[in-house]
């Protein structure tokens, strides 16, 4: 028997490959299916089942594509309602894959169809739990994502999640390995550990949600402090329920090299968003006016989903040479299929053709320290609330990037301010959005709070957020 976690850091997502005696199963596949097909061919095994733990909200699954390529059926847990052919399993139903068995455990709460898959090895031992978004390491799935479709409150879903976990998962053996669908960085939970694999026994000891005194305290704990889900989540759910274009088709349409002139023509005719995926340092020195920077070198796909939101938005890409396919692939993972092409030759080609360019006013942390000494200034910190609470520049305002569409209208164009995040990735996103919307009276700080912390700029006392959460 072979178990492999195929982890994608950008989405903090884990897909799983299980092989035994010439047969295989794949759990929660990503949209691009070729890596799975290649693995099956390499191991000379036949894909027997594609298991989905639930209708994912944070990415578009490759289940239909993979089924079409391999003829393997798609399996969902009880109550799932799909617009494509699938096996809707019963609670406790067992599927055989080679010499091992996979048992369905219906665990509603995160969503109503959410299910875990218990792997039973050749000797009949319960070996591993593929827990989807029901149980994470250090957390559980947020119970507010299915409420519109299910007409349930987050509290009602949290109650279902309590029943699922405490009555079906906690009684399982401590030595079972837990393989969750997501890790730290995913918006599907709020307090995940950085590890991606653990034992159920350790989670029973360390996971706050599994140590509540009763149902009421569990509901309170898991619903407290939930931030609004990214706007693209609902659109991804519908794509996973109804089906979507094949990844190969999306890639073929998007990888169109456009000359500078053609790029400009398409931009004007289509109203496309110009998305510049270079790193923040390159972007700050020069970019096409009105373009938005979300760098491939960070949590690219989730930020695209959070900030652009509408998966039907036409997009034109500006990339480093050779990054075009990577950008399209990562966009497609979160459902952004309407890429109209990319700028041939990148930003350098645009600049060399004498086209108008723009820059961001960026200074070092040391320059920031000198500029603000003895002055009253406005500082905007776009990190998460928890990062701000842990430590921040005194007098800085907390304005998380996630909510920029809400707070941007509070910015007074005539009032200068300084802008920073943790290291420059998010503040450059914010800077590009601000400038695209006509706000220019600000200065962005290179290196963010990490660089500022090395200066003598006045800061709050450090408060460990892990201890606060516990």
């Amino acid at each position: 028997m072979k178990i492999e976690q195929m982890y994608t850091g950008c989405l903090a997502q884990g897909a799983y490959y299980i092989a035994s005696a010439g047969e295989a199963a794949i759990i929660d596949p990503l949209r691009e299916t070729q890596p799975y097909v290649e693995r099956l061919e390499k191991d000379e095994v036949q894909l027997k089942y594609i298991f989905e733990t639930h209708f994912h909200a944070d990415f578009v699954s490759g289940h239909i594509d993979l089924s079409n390529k391999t003829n393997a059926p798609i399996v969902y847990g009880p109550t799932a309602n799909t617009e494509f052919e699938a096996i809707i399993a019963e609670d406790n139903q067992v599927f055989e894959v080679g010499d091992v068995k996979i048992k369905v455990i219906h665990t509603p709460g995160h969503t109503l169809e959410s299910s875990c898959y218990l792997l039973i090895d050749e000797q009949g031992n319960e070996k591993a739990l593929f827990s989807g978004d029901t149980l994470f390491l250090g957390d559980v799935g947020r119970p507010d994502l299915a409420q519109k479709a299910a007409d349930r409150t987050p509290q009602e879903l949290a109650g279902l999640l309590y029943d699922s976990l405490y009555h079906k998962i906690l009684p399982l053996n401590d030595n079972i390995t837990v393989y969750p669908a997501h890790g730290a960085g995913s918006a599907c939970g709020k307090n995940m550990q950085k590890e991606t694999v653990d034992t159920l026994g350790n989670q029973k000891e360390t996971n706050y949600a599994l140590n509540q005194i009763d149902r009421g305290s569990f509901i309170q704990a898991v619903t407290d402090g939930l931030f609004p889900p990214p706007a693209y989540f609902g659109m991804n759910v519908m794509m996973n329920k109804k089906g979507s274009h094949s990844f190969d088709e999306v890639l073929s349409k998007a990888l169109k090299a456009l000359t500078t002139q053609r790029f400009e023509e398409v931009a004007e005719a289509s109203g496309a968003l110009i998305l510049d995926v270079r790193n923040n340092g390159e972007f700050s020195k020069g970019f096409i006016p009105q373009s938005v920077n979300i760098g491939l070198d960070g949590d690219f796909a989730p930020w695209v989903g959070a900030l652009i939101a509408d998966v039907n938005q036409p997009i034109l890409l500006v990339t480093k040479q050779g990054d075009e396919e990577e950008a399209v692939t990562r966009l497609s993972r979160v459902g952004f299929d309407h890429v109209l092409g990319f700028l041939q030759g990148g930003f350098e080609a645009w600049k060399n053709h004498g086209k108008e360019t723009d820059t961001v006013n960026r200074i070092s942390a040391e320059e920031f320290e000198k500029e603000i000494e003895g002055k009253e200034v406005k500082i905007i910190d776009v990190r998460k609330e928890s990062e701000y609470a842990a430590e921040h520049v005194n007098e800085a305002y907390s304005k998380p990037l996630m909510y920029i569409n809400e707070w941007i209208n509070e910015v007074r164009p005539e009032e200068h301010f300084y802008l920073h995040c943790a290291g420059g990735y998010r503040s450059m996103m914010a800077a590009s959005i601000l400038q695209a919307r006509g706000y220019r009276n600000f200065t962005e700080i290179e290196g963010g709070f990490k660089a500022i912390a090395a200066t003598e700029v006045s800061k709050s006392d450090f408060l460990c957020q892990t201890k606060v959460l516990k």
Side-chain angles (χ1 to χ4, degrees), residues 133-173:
D133 284 21
T134 295
L135 175 63
F136 297 128
L137 305 188
D139 203 359
V140 294
R142 51 189 295 173
D144 62 327
L145 299 184
Q147 63 192 80
K148 290 183 180 178
D151 196 27
R152 306 280 186 110
T153 67
Q155 287 72 26
E156 288 172 327
L157 287 167
L160 290 176
L161 186 58
Y162 173 87
D163 295 338
S164 296
L165 288 164
Y166 280 71
H167 298 156
K168 292 186 173 184
I169 302 304
L170 285 181
L172 296 173
N173 294 329

Side-chain angles (χ1 to χ4, degrees), residues 67 79 82 110 119 127 132 140 147 185 250 272 290-291 295 315 320 322 349 372 378 414:
S67 180
T79 77
T82 68
H110 174 64
L119 179 67
K127 193 75 174 177
V140 294
Q147 63 192 80
V250 171
Q290 305 297 306
S291 58
I315 292 172
K320 283 200 311 181
I372 69 171
K378 183 174 183 179
E414 71 278 4

Side-chain angles (χ1 to χ4, degrees), residues 250-267 272-277 288 296 314-329 331 338-347 349-350:
V250 171
L251 191 64
S252 175
K253 289 183 176 180
L255 290 180
K256 294 178 182 175
L258 303 175
T259 64
T260 300
Q261 181 178 340
R262 184 59 184 152
F263 186 92
E264 191 170 29
E265 291 170 351
V266 173
L273 171 74
I274 299 175
L275 181 61
D276 191 321
V277 303
I288 299 171
L296 276 177
I315 292 172
L316 284 167
L317 287 172
V318 178
T319 76
K320 283 200 311 181
Q321 190 170 350
D323 282 350
E324 301 87 5
E325 183 170 340
E326 177 71 10
V328 173
T329 298
L331 284 167
H338 299 281
V339 176
L340 306 181
F342 63 91
L343 179 59
Q344 189 174 39
F347 176 70
W350 181 271

Side-chain angles (χ1 to χ4, degrees), residues 17-262:
Y17 170 82
I18 304 157
S20 170
E23 295 182 336
I26 292 175
I27 300 175
D28 293 337
L30 278 185
R31 192 167 186 186
E32 65 273 22
T33 59
Q34 192 57 31
Y36 308 119
V37 173
E38 290 174 357
R39 176 52 53 87
L40 294 165
E41 291 174 349
K42 178 183 176 184
D43 289 351
E44 297 182 343
V45 296
Q46 179 181 355
L47 184 62
K48 192 171 183 183
Y49 296 110
I50 301 161
F51 291 100
E52 289 283 5
T53 55
H54 64 296
F55 292 118
H56 305 285
D58 60 312
F59 71 95
V60 178
S61 177
H63 52 321
I64 297 175
D65 255 6
L66 191 56
S67 180
N68 289 338
K69 290 180 178 180
T70 64
N71 294 318
I74 302 165
V75 180
Y76 277 93
T79 77
N81 184 15
T82 68
E83 295 190 17
F84 48 85
E85 187 175 347
I87 297 172
I88 308 303
E90 296 179 2
D91 193 18
N92 296 317
Q93 185 171 345
V94 173
F95 294 84
E96 294 185 359
V97 179
D99 294 331
V100 302
K101 294 179 174 67
I102 296 176
K103 181 180 179 180
V104 179
I105 303 177
H106 187 209
T107 51
H110 174 64
T111 64
L112 292 181
E113 79 286 346
S114 283
S115 297
C116 299
Y117 296 106
L118 181 64
L119 179 67
I120 302 168
D121 69 14
E122 299 89 340
Q123 287 75 41
N125 301 312
E126 295 178 348
K127 193 75 174 177
L129 183 73
F130 302 93
S131 58
D133 284 21
T134 295
L135 175 63
F136 297 128
L137 305 188
D139 203 359
V140 294
R142 51 189 295 173
D144 62 327
L145 299 184
Q147 63 192 80
K148 290 183 180 178
D151 196 27
R152 306 280 186 110
T153 67
Q155 287 72 26
E156 288 172 327
L157 287 167
L160 290 176
L161 186 58
Y162 173 87
D163 295 338
S164 296
L165 288 164
Y166 280 71
H167 298 156
K168 292 186 173 184
I169 302 304
L170 285 181
L172 296 173
N173 294 329
D174 287 358
N175 61 357
I176 287 174
T177 302
V178 177
Y179 292 105
H182 293 291
S186 169
C188 294
K190 60 181 180 178
N191 187 40
M192 298 185 215
Q193 298 169 354
K194 66 180 185 299
E195 294 81 12
T196 62
V197 177
D198 198 7
T199 63
L200 183 57
N202 192 51
Q203 284 303 301
K204 290 177 184 179
E205 293 181 5
T206 62
N207 190 319
Y208 79 96
L210 304 183
N211 287 278
Q212 299 301 314
I213 58 174
D214 56 30
R215 199 171 192 263
S217 65
F218 176 90
I219 292 171
Q220 171 98 28
V222 301
T223 56
D224 183 49
L226 289 175
F227 50 85
Y232 79 100
F233 269 27
M235 300 179 197
N236 275 198
V237 169
M238 294 312 297
M239 292 176 76
N240 284 322
K241 282 186 176 182
K242 293 184 176 183
S244 56
H245 297 294
S246 74
F247 170 73
D248 296 336
E249 180 184 346
V250 171
L251 191 64
S252 175
K253 289 183 176 180
L255 290 180
K256 294 178 182 175
L258 303 175
T259 64
T260 300
Q261 181 178 340
R262 184 59 184 152

Side-chain angles (χ1 to χ4, degrees), residues 146 175 223 272-273 335 340-341 358 367 403 435 440 456 466:
N175 61 357
T223 56
L273 171 74
L340 306 181
D358 201 354
E367 290 172 309
Y403 310 126
Q435 291 197 183
R440 305 193 65 86
E456 297 301 316
T466 301

